[in-house]
Amino acid sequence: MVQMVDADRAAEMRDVLIAELRTQGKITSDAVEAAIRQVPRERFMPEGTDLAEVYGYDNSVVTKRDEHGRAMSSVSAAYIQAVMLEQAQLRPGMSVLEVGSGGLNAAYIAEIVGPQGRVVSIDIDPEVIDRAATALDASGYGSRVRVLTVDAEHGVPDEDAFDAIIVTVGAWDIAPAWLRQLRPDGVIVVPLIMNNVTRVIGFRRDGDRLVSTATEIAGFVPMQGDGGHADRVFELPDANGHKVRLAFDSGAPDDMHQLDGALATERAEVWSGVTIPNGVSFVDLHLWFAWYLDGFCRFTAEPGTVLAGEKQWFPFGVVSGGGFAYLVVRPALEGTGAEFGARGYGDGGELAATAMVEQIQAWDRYGRRTEPTFAYWPSGGQTQAPTGTDAMAKTHGVVTISWPKDSGSPQR
């Protein structure tokens, strides 16, 4: 843990952080502001973490890595913690479950629900739980938060229903056990992975289904245990043995051998005519791809491959037929913006690039200026989820996405 911290400097930086969170609309209630002001973030960070990193607006701090250096546990960025607390609509006296422990967020929750509330924080990793318990004890919250080593997929033993559940790890699905332990009018906040794209969604129960009330963009370490979900990964070697790795959340092509030798073929380019000014976010384009682009994947390119030297804003691609294509941009708007396009390789490279560009254009028509809403329909409910291109099957249910009626109907 961080020791010998300048308490006055930490308090000043906390004030600055809170002011930014208010200005950016991430804090909207006095209760969340009071919690973030009361709890010293630095006490829940690894020893030696600089206060500038502790109190950064969008800095997440890794607390544990695996043998390959991949993050297994982290303290989420301040902005997303604030958003998720707001999404949960917490009030004094509530009973709250946190899935994915670390200590800091549980302390925030305890501040909001107060002495009459109840907070349970669980994690599958006993090291993470031990660290969270130690930090909570040292910060005066040990008696207000129950910490348990539990695989969240199976719920929490010896606990009644919760008013709210806040999931702080990337979840591919919503576990039936969570819904069994959520009150009929309860709220669940979950970073839901939808075809390799994550949105933090605040859901409220509405009969058999869950209906979104708010969404936010953020990334999280993936869930471990029985609720984890592994991508299917394929490798495309180039002539020198360097590889491009394609990761499919679902819908991986049956025959990837059709891409053998693809990186040695002549590159195809297709441009969309869709532009965006510099500094304007286009993250919902990735969400659109995840829902409407058949063969959608994420990719990484080893140094030395033909793709590695190119400027890649985001590593999103598509496999279609015998071709692989990926998102690219080029200068536009007289140097003040960029145009979206796709580059493809393989015998079907131009067709794959065209498929991606068609969805860029569809996003521009139907999704660019609107915010979608989501619903989750658990399996076995009395009300069945609609079918079609706006529904995504999960293990325990179906997720649906809806765009405002005046935006038109998305088309594949």
Side-chain angles (χ1 to χ4, degrees), residues 5-259:
V5 170
D6 185 332
D8 290 338
R9 179 168 175 256
E12 290 174 1
M13 297 182 75
R14 200 173 309 132
D15 289 342
V16 171
L17 172 62
I18 289 169
E20 185 173 9
L21 292 170
R22 276 285 194 182
T23 299
Q24 297 299 327
K26 307 306 181 184
I27 292 178
T28 59
S29 69
D30 292 342
V32 171
E33 176 178 334
I36 294 177
R37 192 177 299 281
Q38 180 65 30
V39 180
R41 290 180 66 86
E42 63 273 13
R43 295 185 184 178
F44 295 86
M45 302 291 176
E47 185 174 355
T49 306
D50 188 87
L51 284 178
E53 188 174 5
V54 171
Y55 286 101
Y57 173 83
D58 59 358
N59 290 341
S60 61
V61 178
V62 175
T63 56
K64 183 176 180 180
R65 296 183 184 274
D66 65 12
E67 65 273 18
H68 304 293
R70 292 184 293 251
M72 297 180 66
S73 183
S74 66
V75 178
S76 297
Y79 89 90
I80 195 59
Q81 288 184 317
V83 165
M84 295 177 78
L85 292 169
E86 297 286 7
Q87 288 179 339
Q89 303 173 36
L90 303 179
R91 300 185 305 276
M94 277 187 165
S95 177
V96 183
L97 170 64
E98 180 190 37
V99 176
S101 193
L104 176 58
N105 202 57
Y108 288 150
I109 297 169
E111 280 291 331
I112 297 171
V113 302
Q116 302 306 312
R118 179 159 180 77
V119 184
V120 179
S121 182
I122 65 174
D123 201 283
I124 196 171
D125 189 332
E127 290 184 14
V128 172
I129 283 294
D130 287 347
R131 184 182 180 281
T134 299
L136 286 164
D137 285 341
S139 303
Y141 293 94
S143 63
R144 299 172 62 180
V145 179
R146 182 188 184 203
V147 293
L148 296 170
T149 303
V150 174
D151 186 337
E153 183 74 4
H154 307 296
V156 188
D158 304 321
E159 284 289 341
D160 294 328
F162 295 95
D163 298 296
I165 298 174
I166 301 177
V167 182
T168 63
V169 289
W172 193 82
D173 200 359
I174 295 177
W178 303 347
L179 300 184
R180 287 195 296 269
Q181 291 193 280
L182 182 67
R183 295 190 188 279
D185 60 346
V187 171
I188 181 168
V189 178
V190 55
L192 190 60
I193 301 169
M194 297 168 287
N195 201 8
N196 259 327
V197 173
T198 302
R199 287 294 180 274
V200 179
I201 306 176
F203 285 109
R204 181 172 287 280
R205 243 190 172 137
D206 181 11
D208 287 344
R209 63 177 180 164
L210 302 173
V211 177
S212 69
T213 58
T215 63
E216 183 61 68
I217 298 160
F220 285 79
V221 296
M223 183 168 291
Q224 302 175 54
D226 291 343
H229 177 82
D231 289 341
R232 291 185 65 189
V233 180
F234 301 89
E235 295 182 341
L236 297 183
D238 65 11
N240 298 316
H242 301 296
K243 297 180 179 67
V244 173
R245 291 181 174 84
L246 311 183
F248 294 85
D249 172 289
S250 57
D254 293 329
D255 182 14
M256 288 294 290
H257 291 296
Q258 60 192 333
L259 290 178

Side-chain angles (χ1 to χ4, degrees), residues 304-357:
T305 62
V306 66
L307 275 65
E310 299 187 19
K311 181 179 180 181
Q312 298 165 12
W313 284 22
F314 287 91
F316 297 106
V318 60
V319 171
S320 180
F324 162 67
Y326 55 98
L327 179 67
V328 292
V329 295
R330 66 181 179 185
L333 302 176
E334 298 182 346
T336 64
E339 178 187 3
F340 296 109
R343 292 190 178 124
Y345 290 89
D347 292 340
E350 185 171 357
L351 291 175
T354 298
M356 176 168 272
V357 162

